[in-house]
Amino acid sequence: MFTKSLPNCLTVGNLFLGIMAILLAIHEEKYWEYAAIMVIIGMLLDGLDGRVARMLNAQSEFGKQLDSLSDLITFGVAPAVIMYVSVLQPMGFTGWVVTAIFPICGALRLARFNVHPGVPGYFIGLPITAAGGILATLALYKTYVDNPVILLVATLFLSYLMVSQIRYPAFKKTTIPKSVYWIAPIFLIAVAVAAIYFPKELPKVIFIPLGIYALYGVKKTLERKKRTEEHDEPVEE
């Protein structure tokens, strides 16, 4: 019985970390860095729950809906609150609106995925998991960005990517040896320890591959569009 419930336990753990991220973001300045780390660990759990469900043949409609609701909190609301507290709060009403737009676009992205999963091997629109991870870790770069408007525009850009038609490669079908799943708890503990000792550095490192993934989809879409236009261009006589 517990084995069949394990994927949902991972999903609930993801939701718990999202709530913790929100509380840490609004708590005190000295705990602020750990909010982004909660989102990162939530990403790891989110990547595990689906794979574990498929491995144990424990997939269910209940688990699918629970996963979507958890993702909206952990990767939609929590990163938006982190960015608001760290950057957007002084902007007044504009900061409120931009903060609200991100989880709204995340909800639209999740709803569209539940109805139309997309094409095999690809996600349509930036997955909310990646978008939330980028936004939460991007907030830690505020000391390097003189103009907060840049981070505001980045928040809106990530919101757009989630609801766009841009294709992103999906790695769900990638084969992973079953032995790796038993190492996963050790890996999660290692990440947690690294987060405790390096609360500022770890999220900044995680931002880099996530940012590359987001821009990769944009780059490939522009290249496809350019090839299509060149192919459709009439030949001069």
Side-chain angles (χ1 to χ4, degrees):
M1 183 67 178
F2 173 76
T3 302
K4 293 293 184 180
S5 301
L6 182 57
N8 291 336
C9 290
L10 292 172
T11 303
V12 171
N14 170 26
L15 175 59
F16 174 80
L17 291 170
I19 296 170
M20 291 300 102
I22 295 171
L23 295 177
L24 287 168
I26 64 177
H27 194 265
E28 294 180 17
E29 185 66 25
K30 63 180 180 179
Y31 295 124
W32 183 84
E33 296 91 349
Y34 292 96
I37 292 172
M38 295 296 104
V39 175
I40 291 171
I41 299 176
M43 291 176 63
L44 297 176
L45 293 181
D46 183 64
L48 281 174
D49 60 5
R51 292 182 180 274
V52 170
R54 288 189 290 272
M55 183 183 71
L56 300 176
N57 194 26
Q59 298 163 286
S60 66
E61 187 63 26
F62 173 83
K64 179 181 178 181
Q65 298 304 322
L66 178 62
D67 184 67
S68 292
L69 294 171
S70 299
D71 286 353
L72 181 58
I73 298 298
T74 305
F75 310 116
V77 177
V81 171
I82 292 172
M83 181 58 76
Y84 175 76
V85 170
S86 61
V87 177
L88 302 178
Q89 191 170 8
M91 297 183 181
F93 182 72
T94 300
W96 293 5
V97 173
V98 174
T99 300
I101 286 175
F102 185 83
I104 289 172
C105 289
L108 294 172
R109 169 68 178 79
L110 288 167
R112 184 178 66 183
F113 176 77
N114 288 340
V115 177
H116 302 291
V119 296
Y122 290 93
F123 294 118
I124 303 301
L126 182 64
I128 188 174
T129 307
I134 293 171
L135 191 66
T137 53
L138 178 63
L140 295 177
Y141 282 88
K142 67 171 186 174
T143 55
Y144 304 99
V145 181
D146 294 332
N147 191 347
V149 175
I150 295 176
L151 296 178
L152 182 148
V153 172
T155 303
L156 292 175
F157 182 59
L158 287 170
S159 302
Y160 162 74
L161 289 181
M162 284 192 288
V163 297
S164 70
Q165 294 295 317
I166 296 175
R167 291 185 180 184
Y168 285 90
F171 306 107
K172 288 187 174 184
K173 300 299 183 181
T174 304
T175 303
I176 296 178
K178 291 185 178 181
S179 58
V180 173
Y181 292 102
W182 307 115
I183 302 174
I186 299 175
F187 180 71
L188 288 173
I189 293 172
V191 172
V193 172
I196 292 172
Y197 287 98
F198 307 101
K200 294 183 179 179
E201 290 75 12
L202 180 64
K204 291 177 182 177
V205 173
I206 298 296
F207 167 80
I208 296 172
L210 291 176
I212 292 174
Y213 179 71
L215 295 177
Y216 174 82
V218 177
K219 177 178 178 293
K220 286 297 182 180
T221 298
L222 292 176
E223 289 177 350
R224 270 196 305 271
K225 184 177 180 181
K226 183 178 180 181
R227 286 197 300 267
T228 302
E229 290 176 349
E230 290 176 351
H231 183 268
D232 293 341
E233 186 175 309
V235 180
E236 294 183 3
E237 296 183 357

